[in-house]
Amino acid sequence: MIAADRVIISTAVTGSVHVPSQSDHLPITPKEIVAESLAAAEAGAAIIHLHARHAEDGRPAFEPEVFEEIIPPIAAQCDAVINITTGGASSMTIEERLAAATRFSPELASLNMGSMNFVYSGIADRVTHWKHPWEQPYVANTYHHPFVNSFAQIEYALRELGDKGGTRFEYECYDIGHLYTLAHFAERGLAKPPFLIQGVFGILGGIGADHANLTHMVAIADKLFGADYHFSAFAAGRHQMQFCTHSAWLGGHVRVGLEDNLYIGKGEKATGNAQQVRKVRETLADLGKQIATPADVRRMLALKGAKNITL
């Protein structure tokens, strides 16, 4: 691992897992997503990870025209690195999932490194009142259908966004095998260092939120990639801040945001993404860590620069 001299805070602003019925603070409309992104950047987030939603009911959106109401306003008002999802939602086709990143050719895009069971049907057990008809069947569907990220789809994303547009990737690894998938594409020259590996813990169907798993993931990544990678980690739900702390302690980076956790503490819902950014900043300060700026991120990850995205 490239030990971080400055810690990158990524913020995943809205995602596609949580549904509006879970929290009134989940940003839905383009205006809300822009405002939350800018607040997170002001609080110290150097990377903003973006999904989009349909304004009328909060359904996950892939259409570039929805992203067009989000990305240009953010780019015009702050210098944060914009990281566009290619994960979208498991119900989307790969073409739909890549539509926004293809339109904008961002500096950074997420890339899921393997097919998996990605189950969040348990949300239905905790929601007592549904705001919209789509929500309950949407979460229930994840119990029956896997999230497909085939080698062909991964290669397609690497070629379409990376080779053609110069986009670099946040490689989302939900299990140890995903590291070996990344190594495969690195050996073929399709994935190029320095890698940003995002360890994802606590998703039902992926690696569990056990701290031994985080340590093991770093150990295997060290064997596979040596000093050619940066590591970041997060855990879904209540383990969010613990895993941020552990990642930073190991020399890695952190990710927060309402995509991953709707709470700021036990039984207390977060009022916004910036609240989580401020909390993790306090933890990083206690660890004696400095915070990376967007300029630091561009240098560390060898990004193409904000002026080279397509607005």
Side-chain angles (χ1 to χ4, degrees):
M1 183 202 308
I2 302 170
D5 58 342
R6 293 174 178 266
V7 177
I8 300 168
I9 301 175
S10 295
T11 302
V13 174
T14 188
S16 63
V17 171
H18 293 129
V19 297
S21 294
Q22 290 180 271
S23 175
D24 292 334
H25 302 292
L26 185 69
I28 300 299
T29 68
K31 185 177 180 180
E32 289 169 349
I33 294 170
V34 169
E36 283 290 305
S37 299
L38 294 175
E42 177 67 24
I47 296 176
I48 302 297
H49 175 61
L50 289 170
H51 289 245
R53 294 174 180 267
H54 291 285
E56 63 273 16
D57 62 3
R59 283 177 299 116
F62 65 84
E63 294 83 356
E65 54 267 29
V66 181
F67 281 86
E68 285 171 358
E69 297 183 60
I70 296 170
I71 292 172
I74 295 172
Q77 297 177 73
C78 76
D79 192 36
V81 173
I82 293 174
N83 172 4
I84 299 178
T85 180
T86 67
S90 58
S91 56
M92 299 176 185
T93 68
I94 188 61
E95 291 79 15
E96 290 170 343
R97 288 162 51 186
L98 263 63
T102 300
R103 158 65 181 84
F104 288 98
S105 187
E107 296 181 81
L108 196 62
S110 66
L111 185 58
N112 297 65
M113 294 311 294
S115 297
M116 60 180 293
N117 290 308
F118 194 116
V119 181
Y120 44 93
S121 57
I123 289 173
D125 299 328
R126 299 188 295 274
V127 174
T128 57
H129 172 71
W130 298 97
K131 293 182 179 179
H132 306 288
W134 69 270
E135 296 175 295
Q136 187 171 15
Y138 172 76
V139 299
N141 187 58
T142 65
Y143 194 82
H144 301 279
H145 299 284
F147 185 21
V148 177
N149 296 282
S150 69
F151 273 44
Q153 291 174 333
I154 293 169
E155 180 171 341
Y156 177 70
L158 289 168
R159 292 190 184 279
E160 288 296 310
L161 301 178
D163 289 349
K164 292 183 179 180
T167 294
R168 294 186 62 79
F169 297 92
E170 170 208 12
Y171 297 99
E172 295 194 347
C173 295
Y174 294 76
D175 218 328
I176 299 300
H178 293 178
L179 296 174
Y180 288 91
T181 299
L182 176 56
H184 166 82
F185 286 104
E187 289 167 5
R188 293 175 57 194
L190 290 171
K192 303 172 179 65
F195 310 109
L196 173 59
I197 295 174
Q198 185 72 259
V200 185
F201 301 83
I203 299 296
L204 184 58
I207 198 166
D210 185 309
H211 287 279
N213 287 333
L214 193 159
T215 303
H216 180 54
M217 183 174 279
V218 170
I220 297 300
D222 282 344
K223 289 182 179 181
L224 292 173
F225 308 109
D228 281 342
Y229 81 103
H230 292 273
F231 184 77
S232 179
F234 71 91
R238 67 183 186 276
H239 301 289
Q240 180 190 55
M241 292 296 169
Q242 294 177 24
F243 272 68
C244 286
T245 304
H246 191 170
S247 179
W249 181 73
L250 291 175
H253 306 283
V254 303
R255 173 171 137 170
V256 295
L258 298 185
E259 172 175 346
D260 307 327
N261 181 23
L262 294 173
Y263 290 80
I264 192 65
K266 186 174 182 179
E268 181 185 356
K269 286 186 176 175
T271 57
N273 287 274
Q275 187 181 22
Q276 292 185 354
V277 175
R278 289 190 291 269
K279 182 172 181 176
V280 82
R281 279 198 73 162
E282 292 176 1
T283 298
L284 295 172
D286 288 342
L287 293 174
K289 304 288 187 178
Q290 292 187 304
I291 305 303
T293 66
D296 293 327
V297 174
R298 293 183 171 99
R299 170 183 54 81
M300 295 158 72
L301 302 183
L303 303 181
K304 65 181 180 178
K307 67 180 183 299
N308 293 314
I309 70 175
T310 305
L311 295 174

